[in-house]
Structures are given as C-alpha cells and as structure tokens.
C-alpha cells in the first residue's frame, strides 16, 4: 500500500488553504451579484445611493462585478500554483487544447459583452434599463449563456495549462455555480420583460 501511495501522489492537495479560498470566491461572486441585483429591483438600493441615477448605479455594479472577477481569477491561479501536477495533463497535446479553450472562452465572453453592452451584460434589467429586443446574433445563436460558458472554458483551459487536476475540479464547481445562477436569473429576467410587455399592452388599450 505504501508503495502504491508513493508511486501515485495525491491528485489534489487538500491541505492547501488557497484551494478553499478559491472555491469560496467562485461560489461567492454569482451569489453576490444576484443578491444585490434583486435588492436593486425590489428596493432600488443602489439607485438611491446614486441619487436616483440608475445608469450610474448599474455602471458601479458592473465595475464591482468585474473587479471581483479579476480577484477570483487571481485566487484561482494562486490555488493552482500550490497544487500537484499530473502526468496525464502534461502530454504534448494538452497545452494546445488549453489555449484553444481559453481563446474560444474569451471570444464568447467578449462578443457577448459587445452584443449586450455594459448595462445589458451587468444586470441592467434589474435597474429598469431594458433592451428593446432580445439579442439573437453571435454568440447567442450558439448558446443562451455565452458569458458563463465562455468563463467556464477559460477556467478549464487554465487548469489544463497548469496541468493541475485541482483546477479541473474547481472548473466543475464554476459550471455548477453558473447553472444554479441561471436557474435564478433566467426566470426572473423573463418575468421582468413579460411585465414590461404586459404594461405596454395595457397602455395601448387605454389610449
């Protein structure tokens, strides 16, 4: 048994505190922005802080979310550096797969931001800043959540680039957390636009 353990080192070092900090940051970010956005929708919390200017409030939240994302990514990289590598992930082909995933992931994220704009990307719907029509062009004709899946691809690509199995496990957490977030966001956002449409129809009837 000792010989087996010696020749097969642990895939993940669970003694590293950075692993748990990274996992916490991954779970925290979507929880934070969904909580803040819903409070904004129901109570106009951020808009009040910005003297009734919902546009500025939305931009402030966007900057906060973006900054938290950078911090989360830094914690993820730090966690990977303290984890063991695995020979399977050090094969010659793996870096090419990693770079392809990172490239495709960033394309999905950047093009979706371009298509939606800042307020469309960063929960402007919750501030009453609604889009006229749904975006159906690329990358939304590929997936309904390009930001989330693009981010997940970048996480996986980074894990492969570092050849750390722990990164693959954290990537699974990223995907699950985003799926949970979509379960809350999609129905809520759909209802926001449905309410807008109902109010428009009611307004036409009273004219």
């Amino acid at each position: 048994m000792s010989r087996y353990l010696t020749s097969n080192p642990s895939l993940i070092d669970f003694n590293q505190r950075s692993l748990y900090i990274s996992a916490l940051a991954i779970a925290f970010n979507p929880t934070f922005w969904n909580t803040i956005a819903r409070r904004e929708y129901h109570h106009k919390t951020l808009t009040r802080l910005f003297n009734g200017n919902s546009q500025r409030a939305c931009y402030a939240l966007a900057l906060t979310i973006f900054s938290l994302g950078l911090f989360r990514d830094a914690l993820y990289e730090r966690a990977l550096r303290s984890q063991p590598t695995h020979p399977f992930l050090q094969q010659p082909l793996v870096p090419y797969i990693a770079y392809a995933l990172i490239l495709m992931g960033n394309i999905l994220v950047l093009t979706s931001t371009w298509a939606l704009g800042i307020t469309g990307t960063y929960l402007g719907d919750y501030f009453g800043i609604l889009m006229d029509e749904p975006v159906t062009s690329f990358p939304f004709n590929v997936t309904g959540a390009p930001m989330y899946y693009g981010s997940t691809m970048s996480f996986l690509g980074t894990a492969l680039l570092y050849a750390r199995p722990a990164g693959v496990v954290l990537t699974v957490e990223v995907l699950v957390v985003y799926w949970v977030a979509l379960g809350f966001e999609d129905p809520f956002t759909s209802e926001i636009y449905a309410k807008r449409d109902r109010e428009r129809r009611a307004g036409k009837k009273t004219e």
Side-chain angles (χ1 to χ4, degrees), residues 10 31 33 107 157:
S10 176
T31 305
W33 71 60
I107 288 173

Side-chain angles (χ1 to χ4, degrees), residues 33 72-73 76 97-113 121 138-140 142-159 170-172 174-176 178-179 182:
W33 71 60
R72 174 204 59 190
D73 293 349
Y76 176 66
I97 298 172
Y99 282 120
L101 283 167
I102 293 170
L103 176 62
M104 289 187 292
N106 277 285
I107 288 173
L108 287 177
V109 170
L110 293 174
T111 54
S112 63
T113 303
T121 301
F138 183 83
F140 291 92
V142 176
T143 170
M147 288 283 292
Y148 287 169
Y149 289 117
S151 176
T152 303
M153 291 169 71
S154 294
F155 269 89
L156 180 57
T158 304
L170 288 173
T171 299
V172 172
V174 170
L175 183 60
V176 170
Y178 281 156
W179 278 343
L182 285 170

Side-chain angles (χ1 to χ4, degrees), residues 5-140:
L5 292 174
T6 305
S7 60
N8 295 275
S10 176
L11 296 176
I12 301 174
D13 185 355
F14 290 102
N15 293 318
Q16 294 296 327
R17 187 181 175 191
S18 58
L19 178 70
Y20 301 100
I21 293 174
S22 177
L24 183 62
I26 288 168
F28 172 79
N29 283 15
T31 305
F32 167 79
W33 71 60
N34 272 289
T35 302
I36 295 298
R38 290 203 178 202
R39 283 194 62 81
E40 169 60 26
Y41 180 78
H42 290 295
H43 306 291
K44 300 298 178 188
T45 307
L46 292 178
T47 297
R48 287 176 182 172
L49 287 175
F50 285 85
N51 297 317
N53 192 319
S54 59
Q55 192 92 14
R56 288 183 182 177
C58 184
Y59 274 100
L61 180 61
L63 181 60
T64 303
I65 293 172
F66 182 76
S67 301
L68 285 171
L70 292 178
F71 186 56
R72 174 204 59 190
D73 293 349
L75 291 174
Y76 176 66
E77 273 197 62
R78 182 181 177 186
L80 293 188
R81 288 195 180 98
S82 64
Q83 288 295 316
T85 58
H86 192 275
F88 182 77
L89 300 179
Q90 293 176 312
Q91 298 180 65
L93 188 61
V94 173
Y96 295 101
I97 298 172
Y99 282 120
L101 283 167
I102 293 170
L103 176 62
M104 289 187 292
N106 277 285
I107 288 173
L108 287 177
V109 170
L110 293 174
T111 54
S112 63
T113 303
W114 178 265
L116 293 175
I118 298 299
T119 55
T121 301
Y122 292 100
L123 304 166
D125 323 273
Y126 293 72
F127 291 82
I129 308 169
L130 305 184
M131 304 188 74
D132 294 329
E133 299 290 340
V135 178
T136 55
S137 59
F138 183 83
F140 291 92

